Each structure stands twice: as structure tokens, then as C-alpha cells.
Amino acid sequence: MIVASVPRALSLSLLLLAAACTTAASPERVAELRTLEAESAARLTAEGEILFRAEPITRQTYKSADGATRLLDEGELRRGIREASKALFLGRTEGPALVAMAKRDLAYAYNLAGDLDRAATYATEAVDTATTTPADWFRPATRERVLGPSHKLVGDVRLRQGRVKEAIAAYDRALAASEPDFVPFVRASLANAHLAAGDPARARELFRQADAGASPSVRALVRRGLGRVLLTEKRYQEAARWFEEAARAGGNDQAYEKLWALDGLARARRGEGDRAGAIAAYRQALDAAEQVRARFRSEEFKTGFFGDVQGVFDDAIRSMMEARQVEAALETSERGRSRALLDLLRGRGRQSAGTQAFADPLGRPLAAAAMRAAVPVDTAVIAYHVLADRTHAWTIRRSGITATTLEVGRATLREQANAFRAAARDRASDVERLGAALHGRLLAPLSLRPGEAIVVVPHDVLHYVPFHALRTAGGWVIEERAVSYAPSVSSAAHLVGQPARPRRHLFALGNPDLGSARLALPAAQREVESIQALFPGAEAHVGAAATKARLLARAGSGEIIHLAAHADVDEIDPLYSTIHLARAERTSGDLEAHEVYRLTLPRAGLVTLSACDTGVGRVSRGDEIWGFTRAFLSAGSSTLLVSLWPVEDEATARTMEAFYRDLRNGPARTALRAAQLALLRERRTAHPFFWAPFVLIGDAR
């Protein structure tokens, strides 16, 4: 069934707000909003009106609270965008100054989220509004607070895009227009741009200027920048001494600064040709990383040091693999995956105590020997780590660990993965050719044994690849072997080390009533009703009864939880990805991912998300693909069944019915494979579009 996925947007908690306010938005109005371009000014202004009616703001309160920047500085990207959207709407009557501030804040939000084109658009519009509006609409201080940050944001985007000359020009304009307190940030960013332009002398001068009068956090970043200048000049011994001194220094964020000082020391050692010294420094840096409290450090973006923590793991892995320290490199990759989860949550979601593999903030990465011992007989776990110029793959069996370096980097894999997934989703005729090319890069070099089941631990762009639908010389991978997926080797080891959970009691919600016939999903209702018949005593609710409140109340007792509903993945702030369920009285039906982290699902042997793209989301710089996948595993489910692209009605119904019928008497992996092979062997549904979208993540027993 094609379950209509909502475009990337505010995750439409709008229904909650509409229900709570006196001037409620009609379901038709909400449906209309979905047709507008996601994240566009028109879309955000319209949504801002609904948000404003529920929780009004004034021009003065928005200005006094420094717009939405307080929320954005805390990493609450979607909440910050919502506040700016209200200001966009209010600005229609309150004047262009408020509109300019709102667009400045939107530019900041999208820059933080990595949506660079949109960030540049809003920053440019903020500048245009501030410079063309008559003086009687703009106080001088307000104009400065718009122009300085907006010009700088244009520079930030251009620098990240590699357009260095344009970045320098934008930063120069920002320097001329900024308030004194903002000048150190601009100078540090301008220094980074000159360093990228190959002018370390000018960069050094600007870093030293930025150091004067800056806050302690900015001064620490500036000193890191001075160390980078020395590395660029290949003055490795001087850089090493500087970094060693910095590692011994104290400060309010000592562990964090120590991490970066040790990373710099490792780079200096590499420059000197001291591989052993570099690895020793990386090991110390990784130990420091585990002591760092996860929080959003906006100064990293304001001074041009973007999310480099995962880069430390990448560089350490590179050095260890070059030194043939295979198991150490694998363990470091696992630590990086755990760190990625912690950095995403940064205190915003309480992880469930139900599953230790995900409840520990660091994910409890295992030693290589423990990973190996947990792998079932006749199974290989394949863990990937994608770097800019190469990809490392570890094939882990009970008998040992084999490492393979694949000579393909991030950019090429992204291009091939996107092309293959698009071909599968669009029923293209070249899907076999594209699948064969990826198989040749990712699986063929690993010398897998005939019939051996594999558990794939993807990384980076590989989260978008359905490995079971790659093409071998003799057919599709699924015809050769069973395939399942896991977010990390350590989590997979933990799950298979626990007793298999029973999957007898079904709790299902389908075709939630969202108040409009345009949003109805009759095929989802038929799906739930057909599955319900397979499980005596099943609890299934459709239409108006398929409420979020019922899910929150009953999910903890479910062994199988099946949700067939609209869903959207929020690529700006993945914790606001949403499954749209029915409202109950004055309570919203929108289930957001951060709420799932607060659930406890101690009995859930399987959660099925039968909605479009529920397994797809934003890939973090570290490793994880952030949508609902990790949220439900963290809440305690041992297994997820999710989709990678919009799915066809009849094929989905047949897949689900066959899967659940066989699940009653056998492993989930076997049941899903049999259901998919049945579709594959029929001419009408032989294309991967029909049989390949669903994947099992977690314990596939």
C-alpha cells in the first residue's frame, strides 16, 4: 500500500496545537499545508499562524528573548524554527524588522541543520529586508543584530560549499555591520576562510584579533585555530608542543578541550611520520570523548568548527587500519556509533531502561573478542565504516574477524546508493545494473560463504542501501542468503545474547482518523484487519480508535506492535519525526520520535512501522540514520520492520500477511525472506520496488 508520507515539514504537531486553541485549524487546512514546499517561507508563515494562535508571541517578547536563537543555541532546531515561523506570521502586521529577524534565525537554523541552500536564501532575504527598509521601521541596534549575523551566515554557507572568495567577502561585510560582542565570532570565521584560501599568515593575525575580548569558549576555539595554522605550515613540532600544553590546561569544559588538544597532537604526530605516537594520541582523545557531556555547542558553528567529533573517530580508524590494528579499528568504529547517539540526544530524550544495549548513554561498545563470540553459527556480521576516500569493512564470524579495505569513498558511494535506491523506488529498468555495481563494491570483495546469513551494520550513506536487493551474477542477494540489519555490532551482540522474545500478542493501529477524507488510508485498515485474524486475542484499532493516547497506554504490554499510518521524517531535527495517529479529545495524535525515547517497551519482540520511508531519515555525521529506527530500539523493542521507500498497496498487504503467518512458527528473518521471495518469483511483482522495501533491524530471530 502507498501510505502517504508527509513532506519534510514541521512534523505537524499542528494538530495538537489546533485542538488546543480556540481558533482551530481545519483538517482541510492542515492537508493544504502539506502541499506547499517543505520549509518554504510560505509554508512556515502558514504554519506559524496556527502555532501563533495556540501560543501567541509579541514583537517585543521575540526581540527580548533574542528571537529563536536561544532554542537554536541549545540544539532545539525544530522548536527554534517554530518560534521563527510565528514571528514570520506576526511580521505581516508588525513590520519588516520582525520579518528580517525571523529570516535571520531561520538561516541560522538551516545552517545548523546542514540545509545550506535554504540557509543562504533566508540569510540573503534578511539582509535585503534590513537594507531596503526605511529607517523609521528599523532601530540602528536592531539593524546591526540582523545584518552582522546574516552576512556571516552567508559566509558560513559559502565556506562550507568551498566558495572561499565569496565567503571572505561576506565575512568582511559582516565585520563592518556587527555589534562588538559578535565581532570575535566573525573574525574567527574569517580566519578559517583565509586558512582555506592558503593564507596562514592572515589567518594567524585574525585568530589573534578574535582572541581579544572573546568569551572563554571562543578563546579555546581560537587557540585550536592557531594550532591548525601551525599544522598547515607543517611546523609539526611546534604544533605538537602547543597541543601538549593545551591538553594539560584546565577550563570550564576541560574534557572537551582535552579531546581537541589530543586530536591536534595526533595530527601533528602524523605529520612528523610518527604513526605510533599518533595512534597513542588518538586513543587518549577517544578516552576524553567518553568523558565529554553531550550538549549542543553553538560556538562550534559560530566560529567555523563544525561537528568534528566524529572526524576524530574517522582519523583514528584510518591510522589504526594503516598500522594493521584491525580489532582496535573495529572497536573504535563501534565507539563512534555510540558517541553519535549521545550527541544526537544531548539530554533531550530519556532513553529507556528496558534494553541495556541502547539504555547506556555510550551504548556499551564491546571488545572485539566479545563481538566475535556473540555471532551465531552460519552467520557473518559485516560492519562498514565509510571515509572520504575509502571504506573499511569488517567481516565478523565466531571463528574470527577479517578486515577488507574497499577502494571507494563517500562521494562515489553516495552517488551509487542514491541512484540504486531511486531505481528501485521508481521501478526503473536499470535497477539490475546499478545493484550489480554496488554488489561488486560492497559484498563481492568479502568472500562470503555460500548460504551464509549476514547481518549488515551500515555506516553513513550505506544506510540507504537495501543490501538484500543487490544483484549477484546468479540473481538477487536475497535468493542466496538471509539478510538483516543492526545499528551496531555491539547492539546486535546484546540482542542475540538475550532470550528470544515471544511474538504472540498483537497490538495494531491502522488508518487513523485525521479528520479529513483526503488523509484516509483504507488499505492500511484492511492490512490491520487481515493481520488481526492471524492472532487470536489481538488488540487492533482503526479509524478514530487508532489514537496516540491508546498507543502510549497499551504499547508497554505489546509483544508485536504494528502501526499503519502516515509518517514523516524530519530531516532538520530527527527527534521531531512524526507518526500521525488519531486525536483523542484535546490531545494530539502526533507521535514524535523524542516521545518514543520516553516509552518503555519491555515485551516488544517486534515493532512494524508500515508507513512510507520509516526506515529512512537523516544520516548523522557519525553513523546513525535518525528517524524512528533508533528511537524504538532505545525504547526496548528487540526488532523493527521498516520500509525504505513508498510501498504499493497489494504488495504490502501480501508481504505483511505472509510474514506474520510464518512469524508465528519461525524466525522473523526467515519469515520476511519467504514473503519477499514469493513476490520476487511472480512476474508482475518481480521488480525490487515491490519486494525489497521492507527490512528487519535488530534481533532477526
Side-chain angles (χ1 to χ4, degrees):
M1 118 190 84
I2 295 180
V3 182
S5 176
V6 182
R8 192 174 58 169
L10 279 181
S11 78
L12 291 176
S13 290
L14 306 174
L15 293 177
L16 167 110
L17 298 169
C21 65
T22 55
T23 307
S26 68
E28 289 74 16
R29 175 60 171 150
V30 174
E32 288 171 6
L33 288 177
R34 290 177 175 171
T35 67
L36 296 175
E37 181 191 358
E39 313 295 341
S40 68
R43 171 69 170 262
L44 296 180
T45 302
E47 291 176 331
E49 177 181 0
I50 299 174
L51 293 161
F52 178 85
R53 305 244 181 248
E55 189 176 354
I57 62 171
T58 67
R59 175 181 176 179
Q60 189 56 43
T61 57
Y62 191 81
K63 289 176 60 179
S64 63
D66 202 18
T69 55
R70 178 184 57 80
L71 289 167
L72 297 174
D73 282 347
E74 294 171 355
E76 292 285 357
L77 306 189
R78 184 52 70 188
R79 288 177 61 197
I81 289 173
R82 289 173 176 174
E83 285 301 299
S85 298
K86 290 193 287 186
L88 270 186
F89 165 71
L90 184 60
R92 288 181 167 184
T93 56
E94 290 292 319
L98 187 57
V99 172
M101 286 190 288
K103 290 192 173 182
R104 170 204 65 193
D105 294 344
L106 289 170
Y108 182 32
Y110 292 116
N111 183 50
L112 295 177
D115 191 340
L116 301 184
D117 290 338
R118 203 173 301 278
T121 296
Y122 280 121
T124 301
E125 290 178 0
V127 168
D128 291 344
T129 301
T131 53
T132 60
T133 300
D136 55 347
W137 281 96
F138 251 111
R139 294 181 179 179
T142 302
R143 198 184 300 270
E144 281 186 340
R145 293 175 69 186
V146 171
L147 286 176
S150 297
H151 280 306
K152 182 187 174 300
L153 282 162
V154 173
D156 292 343
V157 169
R158 298 305 176 223
L159 184 58
R160 295 175 76 179
Q161 292 174 331
R163 296 157 65 175
V164 179
K165 289 184 179 179
E166 293 176 53
I168 290 173
Y171 289 140
D172 284 336
R173 290 191 292 270
L175 270 182
S178 292
E179 295 178 299
D181 288 349
F182 196 66
V183 166
F185 291 108
V186 181
R187 282 184 172 145
S189 295
L190 183 57
N192 282 320
H194 280 286
L195 193 59
D199 188 354
R202 178 60 176 153
R204 178 184 290 105
E205 178 185 355
L206 286 163
F207 276 130
R208 286 173 173 165
Q209 290 175 6
D211 192 50
S215 65
S217 60
V218 174
R219 286 201 300 271
L221 290 169
V222 165
R223 288 181 173 83
R224 191 196 311 170
L226 289 169
R228 286 173 53 182
V229 169
L230 290 168
L231 290 177
T232 301
E233 295 174 331
K234 298 184 179 180
R235 295 160 61 181
Y236 299 121
Q237 289 185 347
E238 292 178 65
R241 287 195 296 270
W242 191 92
F243 286 125
E244 286 173 331
E245 180 180 346
R248 292 190 293 268
N252 295 331
D253 207 355
Q254 184 175 1
Y256 189 72
E257 298 308 330
K258 184 176 182 180
L259 160 66
W260 289 115
L262 290 165
D263 173 63
L265 178 60
R267 291 171 183 266
R269 297 295 186 223
R270 280 179 65 93
E272 292 178 297
D274 181 3
R275 179 182 292 167
I279 291 175
Y282 277 129
R283 289 183 182 277
Q284 290 179 291
L286 298 178
D287 289 341
E290 294 192 356
Q291 305 303 316
V292 172
R293 181 172 63 89
R295 66 177 177 84
F296 194 85
R297 292 173 168 83
S298 60
E299 62 267 21
E300 298 280 326
F301 284 84
K302 290 179 179 177
T303 55
F305 293 84
F306 311 116
D308 289 334
V309 173
Q310 292 300 323
V312 180
F313 288 91
D314 288 352
D315 290 343
I317 289 166
R318 180 187 298 275
S319 295
M320 291 171 180
M321 288 297 289
E322 289 173 353
R324 302 184 184 277
Q325 297 180 14
V326 170
E327 294 191 353
L330 172 59
E331 292 169 354
T332 300
S333 180
E334 286 288 291
R335 292 172 75 178
R337 297 173 202 273
S338 299
R339 182 75 219 181
L341 172 63
L342 183 59
D343 288 339
L344 173 86
L345 292 177
R346 52 181 180 268
R348 295 190 294 163
R350 180 188 65 81
Q351 292 176 283
S352 168
T355 305
Q356 291 181 9
F358 305 100
D360 189 298
L362 296 176
R364 294 192 182 278
L366 298 176
M371 296 183 215
R372 188 177 67 245
V375 177
V377 177
D378 299 327
T379 299
V381 177
I382 307 170
Y384 292 93
H385 199 103
V386 179
L387 300 177
D389 60 342
R390 69 193 70 175
T391 298
H392 295 298
W394 296 270
T395 305
I396 308 155
R397 299 183 178 91
R398 185 167 293 187
S399 58
I401 298 175
T402 302
T404 307
T405 297
L406 310 173
E407 299 302 327
V408 57
R410 182 176 292 112
T412 300
L413 279 179
R414 179 184 295 112
E415 180 181 353
Q416 291 193 330
N418 288 342
F420 175 63
R421 184 169 171 270
R425 182 192 60 216
D426 300 336
R427 311 188 202 187
S429 59
D430 60 348
V431 67
E432 291 189 18
R433 177 182 63 81
L434 294 169
L438 271 176
H439 181 270
R441 289 197 181 276
L442 297 173
L443 288 180
L446 306 185
S447 301
L448 297 175
R449 298 166 184 168
E452 183 178 46
I454 59 173
V455 180
V456 177
V457 179
H459 182 255
D460 203 282
V461 297
L462 298 183
H463 283 282
Y464 295 124
V465 176
F467 281 76
H468 59 289
L470 299 184
R471 185 76 181 179
T472 72
W476 304 100
V477 168
I478 196 173
E479 296 179 280
E480 291 187 349
R481 63 188 75 251
V483 183
S484 61
Y485 302 81
S488 69
V489 183
S490 299
S491 62
H494 173 88
L495 291 170
V496 300
Q498 305 297 310
R501 295 186 186 180
R503 299 179 178 126
R504 297 165 302 202
H505 177 264
L506 172 71
F507 174 84
L509 301 178
N511 188 23
D513 182 1
L514 301 183
S516 171
R518 295 171 59 186
L519 303 176
L521 299 170
Q525 182 163 332
R526 292 193 297 271
E527 174 185 313
V528 166
E529 290 170 346
S530 66
I531 296 169
Q532 180 184 12
L534 298 173
F535 294 89
E539 182 180 354
H541 305 278
V542 298
T547 64
K548 171 184 171 181
R550 181 166 273 118
L551 173 67
L552 296 179
R554 300 290 297 141
S557 61
E559 294 177 351
I560 301 173
I561 300 171
H562 184 98
L563 305 177
H566 286 289
D568 68 277
V569 173
D570 191 322
E571 294 185 2
I572 300 300
D573 196 341
L575 288 185
Y576 287 84
S577 298
T578 307
I579 295 173
H580 303 285
L581 301 174
R583 295 160 52 187
E585 298 178 356
R586 297 178 64 84
T587 303
S588 166
D590 284 352
L591 178 70
E592 295 180 335
H594 63 88
E595 297 176 286
V596 176
Y597 276 99
R598 298 184 178 92
L599 291 176
T600 300
L601 305 175
R603 302 180 62 194
L606 173 67
V607 173
T608 297
L609 303 179
S610 183
C612 291
D613 297 325
T614 48
V616 174
R618 173 181 170 189
V619 175
S620 78
R621 176 66 182 86
D623 157 60
E624 295 290 354
I625 185 163
W626 302 116
F628 283 97
T629 301
R630 194 65 185 250
F632 275 100
L633 289 172
S634 295
S637 174
S638 61
T639 312
L640 289 182
L641 179 60
V642 299
S643 58
L644 295 177
W645 56 79
V647 287
E648 191 260 349
D649 288 7
E650 181 183 348
T652 298
R654 290 176 57 191
T655 299
M656 290 296 171
E657 186 170 356
F659 167 71
Y660 278 113
R661 183 179 60 248
D662 290 350
L663 182 68
R664 296 175 302 175
N665 302 309
R669 181 168 58 190
T670 303
L672 180 60
R673 184 182 182 218
Q676 291 175 319
L677 287 174
L679 290 179
L680 168 60
R681 288 165 182 161
E682 291 188 21
R683 182 175 180 180
R684 193 186 71 80
T685 55
H687 194 282
F689 168 79
F690 295 98
W691 55 264
F694 285 103
V695 297
L696 279 170
I697 301 173
D699 183 3
R701 290 177 295 174

